[in-house]
Short mmCIF file of all heavy atoms in Angstrom, two decimals:
data_model
loop_
_atom_site.label_atom_id
_atom_site.label_comp_id
_atom_site.label_asym_id
_atom_site.label_seq_id
_atom_site.Cartn_x
_atom_site.Cartn_y
_atom_site.Cartn_z
N ILE O 94 30.00 -62.00 27.02
CA ILE O 94 28.88 -61.51 26.22
C ILE O 94 29.18 -61.59 24.73
O ILE O 94 28.33 -61.96 23.93
CB ILE O 94 28.54 -60.05 26.62
CG1 ILE O 94 27.97 -60.03 28.05
CG2 ILE O 94 27.51 -59.43 25.65
CD1 ILE O 94 27.77 -58.66 28.62
N PHE O 95 30.42 -61.27 24.35
CA PHE O 95 30.77 -61.21 22.93
C PHE O 95 31.69 -62.34 22.48
O PHE O 95 32.14 -62.34 21.34
CB PHE O 95 31.42 -59.85 22.62
CG PHE O 95 30.48 -58.70 22.82
CD1 PHE O 95 30.58 -57.89 23.94
CD2 PHE O 95 29.48 -58.41 21.90
CE1 PHE O 95 29.71 -56.83 24.14
CE2 PHE O 95 28.61 -57.35 22.08
CZ PHE O 95 28.72 -56.56 23.20
N SER O 96 31.97 -63.29 23.36
CA SER O 96 32.85 -64.38 22.96
C SER O 96 32.14 -65.28 21.94
O SER O 96 30.90 -65.42 21.96
CB SER O 96 33.27 -65.20 24.18
OG SER O 96 32.14 -65.71 24.85
N GLU O 97 32.91 -65.88 21.05
CA GLU O 97 32.33 -66.69 19.99
C GLU O 97 31.65 -67.94 20.54
O GLU O 97 32.19 -68.62 21.40
CB GLU O 97 33.42 -67.09 18.98
CG GLU O 97 32.86 -67.82 17.76
CD GLU O 97 33.94 -68.21 16.77
OE1 GLU O 97 35.09 -67.74 16.92
OE2 GLU O 97 33.64 -68.97 15.85
N LYS O 98 30.45 -68.21 20.05
CA LYS O 98 29.70 -69.40 20.42
C LYS O 98 29.29 -70.10 19.12
O LYS O 98 28.22 -69.82 18.56
CB LYS O 98 28.49 -69.04 21.27
CG LYS O 98 28.87 -68.44 22.62
CD LYS O 98 27.64 -68.11 23.44
CE LYS O 98 28.03 -67.70 24.87
NZ LYS O 98 28.85 -66.49 24.91
N PRO O 99 30.14 -71.00 18.62
CA PRO O 99 29.93 -71.61 17.29
C PRO O 99 28.56 -72.25 17.11
O PRO O 99 27.97 -72.17 16.04
CB PRO O 99 31.04 -72.66 17.20
CG PRO O 99 32.11 -72.15 18.12
CD PRO O 99 31.39 -71.48 19.25
N GLU O 100 28.03 -72.85 18.18
CA GLU O 100 26.73 -73.55 18.04
C GLU O 100 25.58 -72.58 17.83
O GLU O 100 24.49 -72.97 17.41
CB GLU O 100 26.48 -74.43 19.27
CG GLU O 100 26.11 -73.69 20.55
CD GLU O 100 27.31 -73.13 21.31
OE1 GLU O 100 28.42 -73.04 20.74
OE2 GLU O 100 27.12 -72.76 22.48
N LEU O 101 25.79 -71.30 18.13
CA LEU O 101 24.72 -70.30 18.01
C LEU O 101 25.02 -69.22 16.98
O LEU O 101 24.10 -68.57 16.48
CB LEU O 101 24.47 -69.63 19.36
CG LEU O 101 24.09 -70.54 20.54
CD1 LEU O 101 23.98 -69.72 21.82
CD2 LEU O 101 22.79 -71.27 20.26
N ASP O 102 26.29 -69.02 16.67
CA ASP O 102 26.68 -67.85 15.90
C ASP O 102 26.45 -67.96 14.39
O ASP O 102 26.34 -66.95 13.72
CB ASP O 102 28.16 -67.51 16.16
CG ASP O 102 28.33 -66.70 17.44
OD1 ASP O 102 27.40 -65.95 17.78
OD2 ASP O 102 29.38 -66.82 18.08
N PHE O 103 26.39 -69.18 13.87
CA PHE O 103 26.36 -69.30 12.41
C PHE O 103 24.94 -69.54 11.89
O PHE O 103 24.68 -70.44 11.11
CB PHE O 103 27.36 -70.37 11.97
CG PHE O 103 28.76 -69.95 12.31
CD1 PHE O 103 29.36 -70.36 13.48
CD2 PHE O 103 29.45 -69.08 11.48
CE1 PHE O 103 30.64 -69.94 13.83
CE2 PHE O 103 30.73 -68.66 11.81
CZ PHE O 103 31.33 -69.08 12.98
N ILE O 104 24.05 -68.69 12.37
CA ILE O 104 22.64 -68.74 11.97
C ILE O 104 22.40 -67.66 10.93
O ILE O 104 22.87 -66.53 11.07
CB ILE O 104 21.73 -68.55 13.20
CG1 ILE O 104 21.82 -69.80 14.09
CG2 ILE O 104 20.30 -68.24 12.79
CD1 ILE O 104 21.17 -69.64 15.42
N THR O 105 21.67 -68.02 9.87
CA THR O 105 21.40 -67.08 8.78
C THR O 105 20.14 -66.27 9.08
O THR O 105 19.11 -66.84 9.48
CB THR O 105 21.21 -67.85 7.46
OG1 THR O 105 22.40 -68.60 7.20
CG2 THR O 105 20.97 -66.88 6.30
N ILE O 106 20.22 -64.97 8.88
CA ILE O 106 19.08 -64.06 9.10
C ILE O 106 18.92 -63.19 7.86
O ILE O 106 19.91 -62.71 7.30
CB ILE O 106 19.29 -63.17 10.34
CG1 ILE O 106 19.61 -64.04 11.57
CG2 ILE O 106 18.07 -62.30 10.61
CD1 ILE O 106 19.96 -63.25 12.80
N SER O 107 17.69 -62.96 7.45
CA SER O 107 17.46 -62.18 6.24
C SER O 107 17.75 -60.69 6.48
O SER O 107 17.60 -60.18 7.60
CB SER O 107 16.02 -62.34 5.75
OG SER O 107 15.14 -61.63 6.60
N LYS O 108 18.15 -60.02 5.41
CA LYS O 108 18.38 -58.58 5.46
C LYS O 108 17.10 -57.85 5.88
O LYS O 108 17.14 -56.90 6.67
CB LYS O 108 18.84 -58.09 4.08
CG LYS O 108 19.16 -56.61 3.99
CD LYS O 108 19.72 -56.28 2.62
CE LYS O 108 20.20 -54.83 2.55
NZ LYS O 108 20.83 -54.53 1.25
N LYS O 109 15.97 -58.31 5.35
CA LYS O 109 14.68 -57.68 5.68
C LYS O 109 14.41 -57.72 7.19
O LYS O 109 13.98 -56.72 7.78
CB LYS O 109 13.56 -58.42 4.93
CG LYS O 109 12.18 -57.85 5.16
CD LYS O 109 11.13 -58.66 4.39
CE LYS O 109 9.73 -58.13 4.69
NZ LYS O 109 8.69 -58.93 3.99
N THR O 110 14.67 -58.86 7.80
CA THR O 110 14.45 -59.00 9.25
C THR O 110 15.39 -58.08 10.04
O THR O 110 14.97 -57.37 10.96
CB THR O 110 14.65 -60.46 9.70
OG1 THR O 110 13.70 -61.28 9.03
CG2 THR O 110 14.49 -60.62 11.19
N LEU O 111 16.67 -58.08 9.67
CA LEU O 111 17.65 -57.27 10.40
C LEU O 111 17.31 -55.78 10.31
O LEU O 111 17.37 -55.06 11.32
CB LEU O 111 19.05 -57.52 9.85
CG LEU O 111 19.64 -58.90 10.16
CD1 LEU O 111 20.94 -59.10 9.39
CD2 LEU O 111 19.87 -59.07 11.65
#
Side-chain angles (χ1 to χ4, degrees):
I94 292 172
F95 296 103
S96 58
E97 186 180 349
K98 295 181 172 62
E100 73 279 16
L101 302 176
D102 278 330
F103 296 95
I104 290 170
T105 301
I106 307 175
S107 74
K108 182 175 187 176
K109 181 181 177 182
T110 298
L111 290 171

